[in-house]
């Protein structure tokens, strides 16, 4: 009788251990090589643009554009995380059904990151109802589109919830652009609540209305009593330098001088410009920029983060590749020094592209830029 009792007891212990191991396996949701982080913290990273977002690549071309080799390269270069933009039209059809091939790429990417000790921010970048540069944005007026937005996150959670909270974070939406700040605050709160009903401790990344700009950060209403939040701003100032002759902007025809630091465009230089160009660049004439001025521009997000006791992150910053190189590199140097001095994490825009990339389209590295973006520690 005693022997039988001992056997039953041993079986019970073994059963409990197997259950515990099973739960641990479910919670990790990754391969055996998954690195366990203490908590979700990011220091230096890069955006993986034009793969699952803002791209017409599909099939083999999309698969080969970004692979595990790139993840290993990012890790070996010295980064600790990636920000992964995804678009609704790439991930779901118009009825909200998953495009399984795209979901597979996303999940594979997270597993590659886990195996290479990189963290991931999943950024819902563009919705069918909201593009940050579009004139019409139905998201703000159509309740059905708002509910669809929440459902996209509910579906993402179903796919990603088994990844550890210290490996993957969710960015609610990239660069919200509403006519008034309260429209975004209200939508943000509802989306935040939808995720929290499913995942209590997932780090959620949020930014302010109107392109996550520093100027609007004081108007951001952050969900209260939740420490698993990462505040995020984007920074492309001065725009005359960061988007120099960018073909999708009003600056596409400007090929004139641009300076950093100091007056980005002197009054004398401005007076020599053609009338039609003057209209587009007048607001920059005589305006000065420097490292100290950039820091001053960051004060609203810095203040908000300090008041709430939350970490701060710059999810996008960069200068277009065809801008004057001397000024470009000085600006990057100042930006990285500021990130290091303030303790703000960052991800440059972006890893691989012909406009802002650390990696050129031919696969070669922009070594000078990479060296600066990595920082000194």
């Amino acid at each position: 009788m005693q022997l039988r009792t001992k056997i039953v007891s041993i079986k019970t212990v073994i059963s409990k251990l197997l259950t515990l191991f099973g739960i641990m396996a479910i919670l990790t949701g990754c391969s055996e090589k998954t690195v366990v982080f203490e908590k979700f913290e990011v220091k230096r990273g890069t955006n993986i643009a034009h793969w699952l977002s803002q791209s017409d690549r599909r099939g083999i071309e999309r698969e080969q554009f970004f692979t595990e080799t790139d993840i290993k390269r990012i890790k070996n270069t010295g980064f600790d995380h990636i920000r992964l933009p995804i678009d609704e039209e790439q991930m779901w059809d118009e009825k909200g059904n998953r495009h399984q091939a795209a979901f597979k790429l996303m999940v594979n990417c997270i597993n590659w990151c886990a195996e290479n000790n990189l963290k991931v921010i999943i950024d819902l970048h563009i919705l069918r109802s909201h593009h940050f540069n579009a004139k019409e944005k139905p998201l703000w007026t159509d309740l059905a589109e708002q509910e669809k937005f929440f459902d996209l996150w509910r579906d993402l959670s179903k796919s990603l919830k088994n990844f550890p909270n210290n490996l993957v974070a969710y960015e609610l939406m990239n660069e919200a652009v509403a006519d008034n700040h309260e429209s975004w605050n209200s939508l943000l709160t509802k989306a935040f609540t939808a995720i929290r009903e499913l995942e209590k401790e997932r780090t959620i990344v949020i930014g302010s209305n109107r392109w996550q700009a520093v100027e609007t950060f004081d108007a951001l209403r952050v969900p209260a009593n939740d420490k698993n939040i990462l505040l995020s701003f984007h920074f492309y100032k001065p725009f005359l330098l960061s988007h120099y002759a960018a073909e999708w902007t009003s600056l596409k025809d400007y090929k004139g001088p641009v300076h950093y630091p100091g007056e980005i465009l002197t009054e004398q230089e401005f007076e020599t410009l053609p009338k039609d160009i003057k209209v587009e660049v007048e607001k920059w004439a005589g305006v000065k920029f420097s490292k100290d001025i950039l820091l001053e521009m960051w004060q609203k997000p810095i203040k908000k983060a300090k008041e709430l006791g939350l970490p701060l992150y710059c999810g996008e910053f960069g200068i277009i590749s065809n801008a004057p190189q001397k000024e470009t590199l000085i600006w990057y140097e100042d930006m990285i020094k500021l990130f290091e001095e303030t303790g703000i994490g960052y991800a440059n825009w972006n890893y691989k592209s012909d406009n802002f990339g650390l990696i050129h389209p031919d696969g070669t590295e922009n070594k000078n830029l990479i060296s600066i973006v990595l920082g000194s520690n």
Side-chain angles (χ1 to χ4, degrees), residues 7 76 344 377:
I7 292 174
N76 292 337
I344 297 172
N377 50 52

Side-chain angles (χ1 to χ4, degrees), residues 131-151:
H131 186 295
F132 43 87
N133 286 336
K135 291 183 179 180
E136 298 296 328
K137 304 178 186 68
L139 179 65
W140 307 116
T141 56
D142 190 331
L143 293 179
E145 289 295 344
Q146 293 181 7
E147 190 59 38
K148 184 178 181 182
F149 169 51
F150 309 146
D151 283 341

Side-chain angles (χ1 to χ4, degrees), residues 54 80 98 118 188 238-239 241 246 252 293 307 311 338 367:
Q54 295 177 290
D80 65 9
R98 290 183 184 181
L118 289 174
L188 179 161
F239 199 76
L241 175 61
K252 61 182 181 298
I293 291 173
E307 288 176 348
L338 288 174
K367 292 184 178 180

Side-chain angles (χ1 to χ4, degrees), residues 79-130:
F79 294 103
D80 65 9
H81 77 282
I82 64 168
R83 179 174 180 257
L84 180 59
I86 61 173
D87 289 352
E88 178 188 345
E89 62 93 14
Q90 284 237 35
M91 310 303 294
W92 299 271
D93 65 21
E94 293 188 0
K95 295 182 179 180
N97 300 308
R98 290 183 184 181
H99 291 310
Q100 295 297 340
F103 264 77
K104 182 179 179 181
L105 290 176
M106 176 182 66
V107 171
N108 284 347
C109 181
I110 297 173
N111 278 316
W112 300 335
C113 287
E115 292 170 4
N116 287 278
N117 197 11
L118 289 174
K119 300 187 181 185
V120 188
I121 295 174
I122 298 296
D123 154 46
L124 189 49
H125 206 71
I126 297 174
L127 305 174
R128 287 186 173 93
S129 61
H130 184 279

